Amino acid sequence: MSQRQTRINVVMEAIRSRIASRSYPPGTRLPSVRAQAKAMRVSVSTVVEAYERLAAEEVICARPGSGFYVCGPVAPLALSEIGPPLDREVDPLWVSRQSLEAGASLLKPGCGWLPAAWMYEAGVRRALRATARADAAVLSDYATPLGLPALRQLLARRMAAADIEARPEQIMLTESGTQAIDLICRFLLEEGDTVLVDDPCYFNFHALLRAHRVKTVSVPFTPNGPDVEAFGAALREHSPRLYITNSGIHNPTGATLSPVIAHRLLKLADNTNLVIVEDDIFADFEVSPAPRLAAFDGLSRVIHIGSFSKTISASLRCGYVAARADWIDRLADLKIATSFGSGQLASAILLAALTDSGYRKHMEGVRIRLAEARNKTMARLDAIGVTPWIIPQAGMFIWCRLPPGIDAADVARSCLKEGVVLAPGNVFSQSQDASGFLRFNAAQSMDVRVFDTLARILPA
Amino acid sequence: MSQRQTRINVVMEAIRSRIASRSYPPGTRLPSVRAQAKAMRVSVSTVVEAYERLAAEEVICARPGSGFYVCGPVAPLALSEIGPPLDREVDPLWVSRQSLEAGASLLKPGCGWLPAAWMYEAGVRRALRATARADAAVLSDYATPLGLPALRQLLARRMAAADIEARPEQIMLTESGTQAIDLICRFLLEEGDTVLVDDPCYFNFHALLRAHRVKTVSVPFTPNGPDVEAFGAALREHSPRLYITNSGIHNPTGATLSPVIAHRLLKLADNTNLVIVEDDIFADFEVSPAPRLAAFDGLSRVIHIGSFSKTISASLRCGYVAARADWIDRLADLKIATSFGSGQLASAILLAALTDSGYRKHMEGVRIRLAEARNKTMARLDAIGVTPWIIPQAGMFIWCRLPPGIDAADVARSCLKEGVVLAPGNVFSQSQDASGFLRFNAAQSMDVRVFDTLARILPA
């Protein structure tokens, strides 16, 4: 810090402490910059800068022609902000809110993302510095309706690498993968429509569909994709408008769609009204790529969505949707109406991070580290009688069965009291058939206290 | 072939085969020439030449200052991306899409934001550099459900300065002001509910409410706020659930709510079910602050929302909503369900820009510049027979009446063909009573060609 910076900070701290001690109560007019400079033996410009910064923080306020005054007091954060409430009903939002609200002291083996230390932090720092030098328009203007063209071109090239043909004008950027699905629901669904989901599936699909007030029907998920018999029966019985699923690595099971099931699903959908949303958020975790419905279907009835929240940064909000060009145009209208536009700045930062030559190497490292973490976690779970439903080939998730007769929600509630956030099976399950399951995140399970706590709580 | 030629060909072949085998997938940044030279044991100049040749073949592409990247087998942007389609129906989304899609060559006196050169560009650059040094959690993690606590505390202090009492836990960050209103609509409205808007009002309110499939009823706007008689009658006749309005500077009229009308509105709302959304997005443009409904009401039936898209950056998506604590909790659930979370990175960048001591001075400069621009624009409009409805005290908007008998939508369509995007009155008007009006943005009207074009198109 420069000497000037230090002097400015000293003046700011002195004024803050006088305000805190009420030696300057709210409403007090501060000494003029000249008088303050003399009293503190610093230059006038130092005091001017210190006052300006305190004014920017709204600690003091300027009244033109009259000087600076101490602002009124504002209540501090409430107690409820410091820890999450522990008594919330275990519903589809339970894990999200517990995980999002958990302080650094909680362990979160149930949460759905990597620890910050596993993310592409160095790349994001470089991307921020690069974006600080971008054109004024990138820093200040709204994005075009579809979003930053260079990022959409890169996404088109990435999809082409997965055999998905999408022209850049068939791709729209969104604030997140979740917003992409939400816009699709707004576009396609009428109140009372039926939507198919996997059982189990990502719990936020339930929360999202509940917000849309549609009927949800679930299809049992097998280690190779949805149960084809049940899928066909659901199509016949409910004429669903939409099916939402994960391609690549399935959340929460870590399973992988097989080509034969992908093909059968699309064949069953022939001559129906069904649209399929394929959420590809875990793509960069794959070791050997699974088939993509969007590749088989050619973006006819399949809409392909994704984001980089799980690999580059969850703090940087940017997702995308690839679909038929006429649908993209309607989705763009809806995006403008309901959130005005996507962030050009976030897109530019993401583009810089994605095209940084370090990203590929970073993800190679993450895949290796995850494989080790999965093995270690499965071994530790095995030691306390918790067994994986399948051995996942990639990704962070392990879908596990508790010993017979134990209710996962009870275990989750007990563990939360001891500072461990779990993901009980039924938050993922429409049929509520998964009360004996927990989803573990291997990357978030490296602390042995997770298993110590579980061992204490599970009946021997 | 010379030895040098042979070595260049070897390097080119090696890179081609890595691209073909997807060891360098599309989008990959190639190693720097120095690193490649070392790895392949050839001279730097050999690699430079090999890269240049591959770039000439469009196998890889150079990005100045950034290096070489593998191109994808992807179609270029479609023609439709290069210019906006000119034949879209003039509906509430017309101005948004024309303005958002307009290339740099179009003039946009009808658009709703400042030119990039007027925005807080230097502050955003500083904020990006500062955020590049932030904690890993800020760079990588999801935000808490309500969003970055330090930014919410600052917003609470800013509101306190406008006499709005909101504790930080009554404030939730969103992706944008528009998303804040959208979440409120999702929370409060049932299909078939009625919503009151001003006539004229910000056209995107119409688009947003249409997406919610609710009935919209409009109340004529006067130079001091909504017409109180009509407002009372609408309350009695339609029992609306929501009233959405701008506080401070009204869009599109530039008018200001008077304290007496603010008080009467709230009194009329007594004993009704009405919730009022007060959109404060233009707060920092005000010269002498207007009353805020949220200050009179104490956040009981008023929900206060805002963002900094108009002053700091539209590219940086971050808005906020302040409301009753129990409503904020429900809104947070809805935010998680439909967009998972707000961007911690955008919040951190915004916080850095807001607390930068330069922001206040920047806005002082913008207010002075806008006053000059408004005067100049009104004088130029006067010269061609276009007159302001009121003389706005602040902000960028001037709501203007065309000479009698001229239809603003016709004028807008003709001007668009000549590269000038206007905002015709009826896109703002539920009653379609504003066909003789245009909204001008003074900051976007500094180019004299705007008025030359208008003069040519308007009948003498």
Side-chain angles (χ1 to χ4, degrees):
Chain A
M1 201 183 284
S2 72
Q3 287 210 329
R4 178 171 148 79
Q5 288 301 323
T6 310
R7 283 195 298 269
I8 292 168
N9 284 343
V10 165
V11 174
M12 288 173 73
E13 238 351 278
I15 293 167
R16 275 204 202 94
S17 84
R18 281 173 209 180
I19 292 171
S21 68
R22 295 200 166 263
S23 141
Y24 286 170
T28 307
R29 183 168 168 227
L30 293 192
S32 71
V33 285
R34 217 164 278 281
Q36 189 77 278
K38 204 170 164 195
M40 292 194 167
R41 299 182 184 209
V42 293
S43 70
V44 165
S45 72
T46 298
V47 176
V48 167
E49 182 63 23
Y51 279 15
E52 288 288 349
R53 290 189 192 177
L54 288 168
E57 291 176 12
E58 305 268 343
V59 170
I60 62 177
C61 39
R63 290 187 202 149
S66 157
F68 287 89
Y69 292 78
V70 178
C71 302
V74 165
L77 291 183
L79 268 180
S80 61
E81 293 246 3
I82 291 153
L86 300 179
D87 55 354
R88 191 189 165 99
E89 193 198 345
V90 180
D91 65 16
L93 280 164
W94 188 88
V95 180
S96 302
R97 290 206 65 157
Q98 295 299 343
S99 300
L100 291 170
E101 288 170 12
S105 64
L106 290 200
L107 300 168
K108 299 182 283 188
C111 100
W113 51 88
L114 298 179
W118 289 51
M119 302 288 282
Y120 192 42
E121 178 190 330
V124 174
R125 289 189 200 280
R126 274 195 297 276
L128 282 165
R129 287 194 297 268
T131 309
R133 297 187 298 270
D135 289 347
V138 170
L139 299 178
S140 301
D141 274 353
Y142 289 100
T144 55
L146 298 190
L148 196 68
L151 179 55
R152 290 186 289 116
Q153 286 179 300
L154 177 69
L155 291 171
R157 287 198 293 269
R158 283 176 54 100
M159 285 183 216
D163 298 321
I164 299 167
E165 276 183 57
R167 298 188 309 280
E169 66 271 21
Q170 286 182 276
I171 300 172
M172 179 176 82
L173 304 182
T174 59
E175 310 278 15
S176 60
T178 307
Q179 195 208 18
I181 303 177
D182 185 50
L183 288 171
I184 294 163
C185 289
R186 291 181 114 137
F187 171 49
L188 287 174
L189 299 181
E190 303 280 331
E191 200 167 330
D193 274 352
T194 298
V195 177
L196 287 191
V197 294
D198 300 317
D199 200 335
C201 73
Y202 172 40
F203 49 75
N204 208 51
F205 292 162
H206 295 301
L208 176 66
L209 293 169
R210 200 177 284 181
H212 282 277
R213 302 169 196 194
V214 290
K215 189 177 152 197
T216 311
V217 169
S218 69
V219 173
F221 208 74
T222 80
N224 305 309
D227 182 298
V228 174
E229 292 290 315
F231 191 87
L235 283 186
R236 285 187 302 275
E237 192 177 339
H238 302 284
S239 305
R241 184 73 179 106
L242 208 60
Y243 168 51
I244 307 182
T245 190
N246 286 123
S247 59
I249 301 162
H250 181 254
N251 181 2
T253 63
T256 299
L257 185 67
S258 72
V260 60
I261 291 197
H263 177 68
R264 280 190 200 160
L265 285 187
L266 289 170
K267 223 174 144 189
L268 283 168
D270 273 353
N271 306 318
T272 73
N273 201 22
L274 187 75
V275 174
I276 300 175
V277 174
E278 177 173 60
D279 177 0
D280 206 17
I281 191 165
F282 299 107
D284 288 351
F285 291 101
E286 281 187 303
V287 176
S288 35
R292 295 296 188 265
L293 293 167
F296 286 22
D297 169 71
L299 291 183
S300 158
R301 71 168 72 244
V302 175
I303 301 178
H304 191 74
I305 72 125
S307 90
F308 299 89
S309 299
K310 305 297 185 188
T311 53
I312 289 182
S313 165
S315 176
L316 182 69
R317 307 304 288 154
C318 187
Y320 62 87
V321 48
R324 287 165 39 176
D326 55 333
W327 289 359
I328 286 292
D329 194 55
R330 303 275 301 276
L331 288 168
D333 275 354
L334 269 173
K335 184 177 73 164
I336 293 170
T338 60
S339 72
F340 209 71
S342 52
Q344 207 176 183
L345 206 51
S347 312
I349 296 167
L350 179 62
L351 178 65
L354 274 172
T355 52
D356 183 300
S357 60
Y359 177 60
R360 217 169 52 87
K361 261 184 212 155
H362 168 78
M363 284 312 299
E364 267 170 29
V366 167
R367 287 190 291 266
I368 291 165
R369 213 171 155 188
L370 270 178
E372 292 167 0
R374 285 194 309 272
N375 287 338
K376 195 173 267 184
T377 303
M378 286 188 286
R380 284 168 169 174
L381 287 169
D382 188 60
I384 54 173
V386 179
T387 52
W389 180 66
I390 57 160
I391 311 292
Q393 296 309 297
M396 64 187 91
F397 298 129
I398 311 167
W399 181 241
C400 296
R401 203 187 303 269
L402 288 168
I406 299 180
D407 184 81
D410 291 343
V411 174
R413 271 188 291 261
S414 301
C415 279
L416 186 58
K417 285 181 197 142
E418 307 211 14
V420 177
V421 179
L422 293 175
N426 272 349
V427 304
F428 304 91
S429 172
Q430 167 79 11
S431 65
Q432 296 289 291
D433 262 356
S435 65
F437 284 83
L438 286 170
R439 183 192 72 183
F440 280 86
N441 176 339
Q444 296 275 9
S445 302
M446 291 296 90
D447 191 315
V448 75
R449 287 175 296 167
V450 167
F451 306 93
D452 293 347
T453 307
L454 259 175
R456 246 195 336 274
I457 281 164
L458 290 175
Chain B
M1 202 185 286
S2 73
Q3 285 210 332
R4 179 174 147 76
Q5 288 302 325
T6 309
R7 282 195 298 270
I8 291 168
N9 284 343
V10 166
V11 174
M12 288 174 71
E13 241 347 275
I15 292 167
R16 277 205 200 91
S17 86
R18 281 175 208 181
I19 291 171
S21 69
R22 296 200 176 268
S23 143
Y24 285 165
T28 307
R29 183 168 167 224
L30 292 193
S32 70
V33 284
R34 218 164 276 280
Q36 188 78 278
K38 203 173 168 197
M40 293 195 166
R41 297 178 186 212
V42 294
S43 72
V44 165
S45 69
T46 299
V47 177
V48 167
E49 183 62 21
Y51 278 18
E52 292 290 347
R53 291 184 191 181
L54 288 168
E57 291 176 17
E58 309 224 26
V59 171
I60 62 175
C61 39
R63 292 192 200 145
S66 161
F68 289 89
Y69 294 77
V70 178
C71 304
V74 158
L77 290 184
L79 268 181
S80 63
E81 293 246 4
I82 291 153
L86 300 181
D87 55 354
R88 191 187 167 100
E89 193 198 347
V90 179
D91 65 16
L93 280 164
W94 189 87
V95 180
S96 303
R97 291 205 66 159
Q98 294 301 344
S99 301
L100 291 170
E101 287 170 11
S105 63
L106 291 200
L107 299 169
K108 299 182 283 188
C111 102
W113 52 87
L114 297 179
W118 290 51
M119 302 287 283
Y120 192 43
E121 178 191 332
V124 174
R125 289 189 200 280
R126 275 195 296 275
L128 282 164
R129 288 194 296 269
T131 310
R133 298 187 297 270
D135 288 348
V138 170
L139 298 178
S140 301
D141 274 353
Y142 289 100
T144 55
L146 298 191
L148 197 67
L151 179 54
R152 290 187 289 117
Q153 286 179 300
L154 176 69
L155 292 172
R157 287 197 294 269
R158 283 176 56 98
M159 286 184 216
D163 297 321
I164 299 167
E165 276 183 57
R167 297 187 310 280
E169 66 270 22
Q170 285 182 276
I171 300 172
M172 180 176 81
L173 304 182
T174 59
E175 309 279 14
S176 59
T178 307
Q179 195 207 19
I181 303 178
D182 185 49
L183 289 170
I184 294 163
C185 289
R186 292 181 114 138
F187 171 48
L188 287 174
L189 299 180
E190 302 283 330
E191 201 167 329
D193 274 352
T194 298
V195 177
L196 288 191
V197 294
D198 300 317
D199 200 335
C201 74
Y202 173 40
F203 49 74
N204 209 49
F205 292 162
H206 294 302
L208 176 65
L209 293 169
R210 201 178 282 182
H212 282 276
R213 302 170 196 192
V214 290
K215 188 177 154 198
T216 311
V217 169
S218 68
V219 173
F221 208 72
T222 80
N224 305 310
D227 181 297
V228 174
E229 290 291 314
F231 191 88
L235 283 186
R236 286 189 302 274
E237 191 177 341
H238 301 286
S239 305
R241 184 74 178 104
L242 208 59
Y243 167 51
I244 307 183
T245 190
N246 286 123
S247 59
I249 302 163
H250 181 253
N251 181 1
T253 63
T256 299
L257 185 67
S258 72
V260 60
I261 291 195
H263 177 67
R264 280 191 200 160
L265 285 187
L266 289 170
K267 224 173 142 191
L268 282 168
D270 272 352
N271 305 317
T272 72
N273 202 22
L274 187 76
V275 174
I276 300 174
V277 173
E278 176 172 62
D279 177 0
D280 206 16
I281 192 167
F282 298 106
D284 288 352
F285 290 102
E286 281 187 301
V287 176
S288 35
R292 295 297 189 265
L293 293 167
F296 284 23
D297 170 71
L299 291 182
S300 157
R301 71 167 71 243
V302 175
I303 301 179
H304 191 75
I305 73 124
S307 91
F308 299 89
S309 299
K310 304 298 184 187
T311 53
I312 289 182
S313 164
S315 176
L316 181 69
R317 306 304 288 154
C318 187
Y320 61 88
V321 48
R324 286 166 39 176
D326 56 334
W327 289 359
I328 287 292
D329 195 56
R330 303 276 299 278
L331 288 168
D333 275 355
L334 269 172
K335 183 176 75 163
I336 293 169
T338 60
S339 72
F340 210 71
S342 51
Q344 207 175 184
L345 206 50
S347 312
I349 296 166
L350 179 62
L351 178 65
L354 274 172
T355 53
D356 182 300
S357 62
Y359 177 60
R360 216 170 54 89
K361 263 183 213 157
H362 168 78
M363 284 311 299
E364 266 170 31
V366 167
R367 286 190 291 266
I368 290 165
R369 214 172 155 186
L370 269 179
E372 291 166 0
R374 286 195 309 273
N375 286 338
K376 195 174 265 184
T377 302
M378 286 188 286
R380 285 168 168 173
L381 288 170
D382 188 60
I384 54 172
V386 179
T387 52
W389 180 66
I390 56 160
I391 311 294
Q393 297 307 299
M396 64 187 90
F397 298 129
I398 311 168
W399 181 241
C400 296
R401 203 187 302 268
L402 288 168
I406 300 180
D407 185 81
D410 290 342
V411 174
R413 271 188 291 259
S414 302
C415 279
L416 186 59
K417 285 181 197 142
E418 307 210 15
V420 177
V421 179
L422 293 175
N426 272 350
V427 303
F428 303 91
S429 172
Q430 167 77 11
S431 65
Q432 297 288 292
D433 262 356
S435 65
F437 284 83
L438 286 170
R439 184 192 71 183
F440 280 86
N441 176 339
Q444 297 274 9
S445 302
M446 291 295 90
D447 191 315
V448 75
R449 287 176 297 167
V450 167
F451 305 94
D452 294 346
T453 307
L454 260 176
R456 247 196 335 274
I457 281 164
L458 290 176

